[in-house]
Amino acid sequence: MAEQKSIFSLQFCLLCLSSLLFFSSFNMIVPDLYDYLTSLGGGELKGLVISLFTVTAGLSRPFSGKLSDTIGRIPVMIFGAGVCFVVGFLYPMLGTVWAFLLLRFLHGFSTGFKPTGTAAYLADIVPKHRRGEAMGYSGLFGSLGMAAGPSFGPMITEQFGLDVMFYSSSALAILSVLILVGMKETLLNKQKFSLELLKINKSDIFEPRVINPSILFLLTSFSFGAALTLMPDLTISIGFDQGNKGIFFTIFVFSSLLIRILAGKASDKYGRVIVLKWAALAIVVADLMVAFTHTEFMLIASSIAFGIAVGLNTPTIYAWTIDLSHDEKRGKGLATMYIALEIGIGLGAFSAGFIYANEIENLRNAFIVSAILSFLGFLFLNFGLNWGNKLFKVQD
């Protein structure tokens, strides 16, 4: 499936458009979720808004990885986007803190399935020597969705109310599904779905060959979980109004767009590890900049630094994971990597919320911890890669 020289096939373009809509759908609601939870009386539980979401995403990865390798990439993607469609209609019906948290838990199935199928499908249709570049372009469209969503979500809420914003999220999700329905499946020798496929063995949960990118992703994604949880409060505390509380994520994502493509091309040419070393150091710098932010200018500067750092890191780790995975276990390899990502984000969100405790002066400590963990990721790339392979007896 990956013999063509160009990466810009019709299927690739449709996949990118579907990702744009999907990421817009579930990210547009994030800036308003914290205030919504507070209005329900659960302000002290802000860390759970992101961490519950990532727990479910992580738990669902073994299923999405196995199903992606058996029944196909497209059904897995459709299920993930479909969850966003359904959940968007349910949020307005909530009236208690615990009902809200349950729905956040269920919403995690969306990112547990859609990105796993997307990355596997992408690896099927692009040339091997251009995987990093393809991941960069794919990430660009996902990032556009991540930028657009938090930007226009609060605007919709301010103009039309919270319910309309949730329904708009559902509308974008169903558009993503409709695109996927018309795409061609890339998995050869696919099976029909059966309940037997939902039985998960130990071997379905973890792919040892991708241990190194997974460890790195866990360490470096802690920062993103902290940012998702705390940046809306920091943004308001330094002077931005409610309608602009998603500005950090908007600037962060736009600043990552070009660097994703450059990072992907650089990793194809110079190697994944060397690019990731620079990325880990960049995340350390970005974390420290956020930790000491106290003006609007500093917030904008730190969001740019954060976007560049994540833009270097994410597509390169994706490409590295695919490089290490056997073709027939590509879904499982990607699922393992995503589990590590969700553990990192979930721990980052929960720990940051705990450290923060709704006291703005505590915010600095959360990002200093994030910087320390990212630096550990840099040290791991320099000294720990052989340790991971030896521990799990990985052979080429």
Side-chain angles (χ1 to χ4, degrees), residues 23-64:
F23 281 102
S24 296
S25 172
F26 83 79
N27 277 283
M28 68 182 292
I29 72 174
V30 172
D32 286 304
L33 289 179
Y34 304 103
D35 287 344
Y36 185 38
L37 180 59
T38 299
S39 71
L40 295 175
E44 73 281 2
L45 301 174
K46 285 182 178 180
L48 294 178
V49 169
I50 299 300
S51 56
L52 275 178
F53 185 94
T54 56
V55 165
T56 320
L59 291 175
S60 65
R61 292 293 183 187
F63 297 94
S64 64

Side-chain angles (χ1 to χ4, degrees), residues 41 53 85 96 119 130 137 142 176 185 206 217 235 282 304 321 346 349 392:
F53 185 94
F85 168 67
T96 67
R130 298 184 69 180
Y137 279 110
S176 178
E185 178 58 59
F206 175 68
F217 225 178
T235 302
I304 293 172
T321 300
F392 293 98

Side-chain angles (χ1 to χ4, degrees), residues 296-350:
E296 294 181 2
F297 174 80
M298 291 178 67
L299 180 80
I300 292 171
S302 63
S303 64
I304 293 172
F306 212 100
I308 291 172
V310 173
L312 285 169
N313 196 53
T314 303
T316 310
I317 289 183
Y318 286 2
W320 191 21
T321 300
I322 293 170
D323 292 343
L324 296 174
S325 301
H326 289 308
D327 290 349
E328 68 276 10
K329 295 182 179 179
R330 186 169 288 159
K332 185 170 77 168
L334 288 163
T336 300
M337 177 206 71
Y338 277 119
I339 289 172
L341 169 65
E342 269 119 26
I343 291 174
I345 293 176
L347 287 175
F350 182 79

Side-chain angles (χ1 to χ4, degrees), residues 36 86-96 99-100 103 163 166-167:
Y36 185 38
V86 173
V87 168
F89 278 101
L90 296 179
Y91 275 114
M93 301 178 186
L94 298 175
T96 67
F100 171 87
L103 198 51
D163 289 0
F166 284 130
Y167 296 144

Side-chain angles (χ1 to χ4, degrees), residues 212 380 383-391:
N212 287 330
F380 174 74
F383 307 108
L385 296 181
N386 290 333
W387 172 83
N389 287 332
K390 288 180 181 179
L391 180 64

Side-chain angles (χ1 to χ4, degrees), residues 1 11 68 71-77 121 124-125 180 182-188 190:
M1 295 299 295
Q11 298 297 89
S68 179
I71 68 171
R73 322 303 196 190
I74 290 178
V76 167
M77 290 190 284
Y121 191 100
D124 291 342
I125 64 174
L180 295 169
M183 292 175 62
K184 181 181 178 181
E185 178 58 59
T186 59
L187 181 67
L188 302 176
K190 61 181 181 179

Side-chain angles (χ1 to χ4, degrees), residues 268-290:
D268 286 337
K269 184 175 181 179
Y270 301 109
R272 315 301 186 198
V273 173
I274 186 63
V275 173
L276 288 169
K277 288 179 181 179
W278 285 105
L281 289 177
I283 294 174
V284 172
V285 172
D287 280 330
L288 294 177
M289 289 178 67
V290 173

Side-chain angles (χ1 to χ4, degrees), residues 88-157:
F89 278 101
L90 296 179
Y91 275 114
M93 301 178 186
L94 298 175
T96 67
V97 170
W98 299 111
F100 171 87
L101 294 177
L102 174 62
L103 198 51
R104 283 303 292 167
F105 182 80
L106 296 176
H107 203 167
F109 282 106
S110 62
T111 54
F113 275 75
K114 178 64 167 65
T116 302
T118 296
Y121 191 100
L122 188 65
D124 291 342
I125 64 174
V126 300
K128 183 177 180 180
H129 66 282
R130 298 184 69 180
R131 281 174 179 164
E133 182 184 1
M135 290 296 168
Y137 279 110
S138 175
L140 184 151
F141 281 88
S143 295
L144 283 173
M146 292 175 67
S151 178
F152 63 72
M155 295 180 186
I156 293 174
T157 301

